[in-house]
Each structure stands twice: as structure tokens, then as C-alpha cells.
Amino acid sequence: MKNIVFRVSLVVLALMAVSCKEKSQDVAMATNTATKERPNIIYIMADDLTTQAISAYGGIYKDIAPTPNIDRIASEGMLFQDVLCTNAICGPSRAAILTGNYSNRNGYYKNESGGKFDRSQWTFPQEFQKNGYQTSLFGKWHLGTEPAGFDTFKYHNSAGQQGHYWNPTFNENGKDVKEEGYSTNLSTDFAMQWLQEGRKQDAPFMMVLQYKAPHRPWQPDTKYEDLWEDIEMPYPSTFNDDYKGRELTAGDTEMTMEYFSRRDMKYKEPENLKGKEKIQWAFYGAKKGEIVQPEGMTAEEGRKWRYQTYIKDYLACVKSVDDNIGRVLKYLDDNNLADNTIIVLTSDQGFYLGDHGFFDKRFIYEESIRMPFILKYPGVVKPGTQNEDIITNIDFAPTLLDLADIETDQDMHGKSFEPILKGNTPADWEQGMYYHYYEWPYWHHVQPHYGIRTQKYTLAHFYYNIDVWELYDLEKDPEQMNNIINDPAYATVVTDLKKQLKNLMIKYENNKSLADFRKITDTDFGSIVDKKDDETSVQDVLTGGNDKEKGK
């Protein structure tokens, strides 16, 4: 009996020791938080980077194409599983992130004919700058107007601000400069130079590093061009989706494996092509009925060949992004900055890597709205943690300001998730996301739609020239293959979700009529840039200049 009591006592003591250790760690973190100097912030955003391409998120490429430096940020910080984009396309997402507001408030609805971002409105970098932070921007901007709130900037300023992978032109503090080299490396070079020489060493900084990669046309650095030449990449489980029950939506796009161009597939361009003729040759394949593949292949062989070419190039571009993130991490380590620097790794939305037979984004479906988001903040965010709360891109701005202890009276749709970073989800945290995509039909012919995404369901209404509702049970059908909108068993669910959706549209000031939404789609807000070059004439080449036939 005494032995039993003794052993029980030992167990109790052990449990008490563990509890005390955990409490002491929590106290240490709280103390660290209270005594910290204002943190530096490095916000890293890669264009069209998706969770499927990051090994920390798992997936079919994780062992073939690992991302060790991005994974390191996850292992030393928090990895988010359910960060979602409110309008899954480059420019509108960037505007939402900068302002903390939906497209209907920040005025930036779409890429094509979406005009320029209104730089007179408030953005979070301006608030950092006003509060004594040194601010900088390097890489991709893609919003038309000159960045506000940055002490220094160097951003891609060719091809409609998409930029080029090789020998790109950057707007460097107001002056266009053509640089020699690979864009991912160059953007990091600029960042490193500023960290080493361009900033005051004794003041906090907020640096925005936004890579062009891995955006189309997926051109790898020379050393990675043939990285996976001798292997066949695995195929997503939904690669052969037949779009049954979704024929008018997912089944009616121009983003399947049949829409890759000669440029995408790395065909060698004939010499002496110029102007319109050059663009016509390069973009052959982007229109319906133009199939690019080697002679002698069957349709199925060609489809797989195009996927293999695409996925290898895409992942090779990601590898360079990961390499360059490693350069930034090493600098922080070598200069004793790691402990007081917040690092954010994200993208402007998700992307399809052959999932559902697609490339690109835009849909409310999981692969396109789910953004990679990883945040490291030593002493505040526990290493190796994960979170599954619904967070959206409009929440980034208020959160970054909170972490820097910057108070603002700026009204934002978004809400700070700083408590979530510390393991405390607020009781009133929003349980669903309102989504709205407006662009049609150029590029990729995706019907405008709005909807709600909760942790269990996705409900969407496609409305431009069709009237189609879709419902997906994400627990039973995580791949979203079965549209159950007409299943009687879900009638009550549909009613409840439509009510939630209506409330969110009211909350975010976008409870408009379908006619009003269509008017936004039809409105030409102007071009993102005023100056024309070969790349900005692509639309005219592909559509013959007929606006009504864009993307057809």
C-alpha cells in the first residue's frame, strides 16, 4: 500500500512540475512581450503561391519539392490552416490587405479594366511610417499608382506591372531602371542592401518583400530549369474532374490544361518577331481550340505533358522563393535581429496546381481562396503551433498594427487576430467569410459570384449571365466534387447559410442588387498603367479589340 501511495505521489509531483514548467514558459512569454522593444516586421508575399506548394502544409509535392526555409518559419511560429481571400485575384487582394477593407470600400474590384488603386486612401504602411517606423517595399506592387507610406521602394514596372522574370524594369523611387538578372534574386538583393546599408540601425523597420514568382509564365532560374526533368510529378486526386453538377461554373472556364500558351510551355520563339506578331505567336494556346503540344501526342498524352511542364516550372520558381527567404533569415540570425523581428509569409490568394484540372485562381473553391499564412514572433507566438480559425486578408492590417502596438482610429472591415496568435480566440470571432469575385470574362472566363465559406460549408451564387447556386459539405466532400444545393437533406442548411450570407453582406456594406453587381463587372475603371508595351497589348491580340468578346 505504501508503495502505491509513493508512486501516486511521484506522479502528482511530476504533473505539478510539468504544470509549473508550462506556467513559467507562459510567464516568460508574457514578460518578454511586456519588455520588448517595438518589433521589426518583414512581410513576405509571393504571387500565386499556394499551400499545396509549401511542404509545411503537406500535400503530394512535399517530399519532391520541399520548402525548408518557409517550413522553418512555420516550425518557429504559427501555421494557419484557414486564412481566406475575400476576392481571389491579385490586385483586389493586395488592395484588401493594404486597407483592411473589402473591394466595395477600397474601390479595387478586379484586375482587368479595374483601373488604378486610389493612393489617396489610408493604408497600413502609412500608419507604420507615421509612427516612426522605417518602411520599404521591394518586388511586385501591381496596383498602378505609386506606393504610399514607404521611405524607399523598388517595384516591377513593366508588362502592366506584372514584371518580367529576367532582366526586369523596376521603378526605383520614381525612376525606371532595367536591372540585369533573375527577378526573385534581384528583389531580395534590394531588400538585403536596404537592411544592411539603407536603414538606420537603431530604429524599428517594416519591410514589404513581394515576389513576382511563382506567377505565370513560371520561368525558373537557370540552375533549376531541369530540376525534375527525369521524374513524373504526381497528379492531384481531382485532376480528371468532369464537373458533373457544375457544368455552367467550374465546367465553363478557360483555365484548364487546354489553355496553356506556347510561352507557358517554353516553346522557342522564332527570331525577328516583333509587336503584335510576337504576342500572337507567344500567346497561341490561350484561346479556345488552340492546343499546344508536341506532334504525335494523343489528347490525353498532351494534357499530361502540359501539366508536367507547368508544375515543374511552377515548383522550380517556388524553390527560388524559398532560397531567397533563407537569405533573409540568415541575415536576421547573423545580425541578432531574429528575436525581435516578426516574419509573415503569405500570398495574394491560393492557386490551382492541376486541382480540378485547373491553373489560376478566382473561384470560391478551396484551392483558390485558401491562402498560405505563417507568422513567426519569438517570445510572443509559441513555436510549432497551428490555428484553424477563419481569418481573412482584410484582417492582416489591423493585426500588424496591433503587434507593433500602433493605435489607429482608422475604420476597417478587418479585425485584429492578435489574441489568436497568443492562443486565445475571441468569443465573438466571425465564423464565416463573405466572398465576392467580380471580373468577367477576361481572363479565364470565371463567372462572377459571391458566397459564404464557413468551416463546414461553402455556399455560392453565380449570377452574371446565369443564376446558379452551389453548396458543398466540406466535412463530407473536402474536394468539392458534389454540388448538393438541391439535396432535400440540406434544405435547412441552405436557408441558414443564405441568412448568414445576407447578414455578412449587410455588415460589410455590400448588400446590393444583382443589377448593381453586374454594373461593377461591366464598368471599365481604366487600365492599371498608362504607358503601353508589348505585354499590355495582349488583350487586344487575343480578343481582336472586341470588349464584348473578351476571353471568349
Side-chain angles (χ1 to χ4, degrees), residues 181-198:
Y182 187 62
S183 65
T184 306
N185 302 332
L186 287 169
S187 294
T188 311
D189 290 344
F190 299 151
M192 298 295 286
Q193 184 179 22
W194 184 76
L195 287 172
Q196 293 167 348
E197 304 167 8

Side-chain angles (χ1 to χ4, degrees), residues 14 64 88 119 137 218 221 297 403 410 476:
I64 302 171
R119 76 185 301 270
L137 162 72
W218 315 295
D221 196 349
M297 281 189 177
L403 289 171
Q410 177 66 30
K476 296 180 179 178

Side-chain angles (χ1 to χ4, degrees), residues 210-444:
Q210 300 187 150
Y211 294 111
K212 170 184 172 59
H215 191 280
R216 194 178 190 181
W218 315 295
Q219 293 175 350
D221 196 349
T222 306
K223 63 182 178 180
Y224 292 139
E225 284 181 346
D226 301 317
L227 185 59
W228 296 291
E229 183 179 14
D230 298 327
I231 68 170
E232 182 176 22
M233 287 288 188
Y235 297 86
S237 59
T238 58
F239 184 70
N240 293 313
D241 191 344
D242 62 3
Y243 315 117
K244 184 178 180 181
R246 296 158 290 139
E247 291 85 358
L248 296 177
T249 55
D252 185 27
T253 74
E254 295 176 358
M255 48 192 272
T256 62
M257 298 293 106
E258 287 67 46
Y259 287 90
F260 287 122
S261 69
R262 286 173 175 149
R263 187 180 72 161
D264 296 331
M265 295 293 100
K266 311 302 182 289
Y267 273 47
K268 186 177 180 180
E269 183 181 296
E271 295 181 4
N272 302 319
L273 292 181
K274 294 182 179 179
K276 187 173 181 179
E277 186 180 31
K278 179 184 178 77
I279 294 299
Q280 284 177 325
W281 184 92
F283 281 86
Y284 180 87
K287 294 169 69 174
K288 190 173 291 186
E290 299 176 346
I291 303 297
V292 175
Q293 66 186 50
E295 290 185 14
M297 281 189 177
T298 65
E300 182 61 19
E301 288 170 342
R303 185 168 182 264
K304 288 185 174 180
W305 172 81
R306 287 187 294 276
Y307 165 76
Q308 291 294 328
T309 302
Y310 159 58
I311 194 61
K312 290 173 183 179
D313 286 345
Y314 176 98
L315 292 175
C317 291
V318 173
K319 185 162 180 59
S320 286
V321 169
D322 189 74
D323 288 348
N324 279 276
I325 288 173
R327 292 174 62 193
V328 175
L329 296 179
K330 185 177 186 302
Y331 175 83
L332 297 177
D333 290 339
D334 292 347
N335 291 273
N336 299 316
L337 290 169
D339 287 345
N340 196 37
T341 299
I342 297 168
I343 300 177
V344 173
L345 183 282
T346 189
S347 178
D348 41 3
Q349 74 280 306
F351 209 70
Y352 295 100
L353 302 185
D355 317 272
H356 299 285
F358 290 154
F359 69 97
D360 210 66
K361 54 266 185 177
R362 302 168 193 268
F363 277 112
I364 195 174
Y365 307 143
E366 289 297 286
E367 292 85 358
S368 47
I369 64 168
R370 187 166 167 245
M371 307 168 71
F373 193 91
I374 304 170
L375 190 147
K376 173 190 172 186
Y377 188 8
V380 176
V381 176
K382 287 186 177 180
T385 51
Q386 293 196 25
N387 179 266
E388 296 185 356
D389 292 307
I390 290 178
I391 291 166
T392 68
N393 57 346
I394 59 171
D395 299 325
F396 296 1
T399 303
L400 292 174
L401 291 169
D402 258 6
L403 289 171
D405 201 24
I406 295 175
E407 294 184 4
T408 178
D409 57 4
Q410 177 66 30
D411 185 25
M412 287 177 270
H413 284 146
K415 185 176 180 180
S416 171
F417 56 90
E418 182 188 23
I420 291 174
L421 289 166
K422 299 174 181 177
N424 303 310
T425 302
D428 62 346
W429 192 254
E430 191 63 71
Q431 298 300 300
M433 176 198 68
Y434 167 54
Y435 180 83
H436 205 134
Y437 171 78
Y438 301 87
E439 191 169 306
W440 167 265
Y442 188 82
W443 292 61
H444 298 297

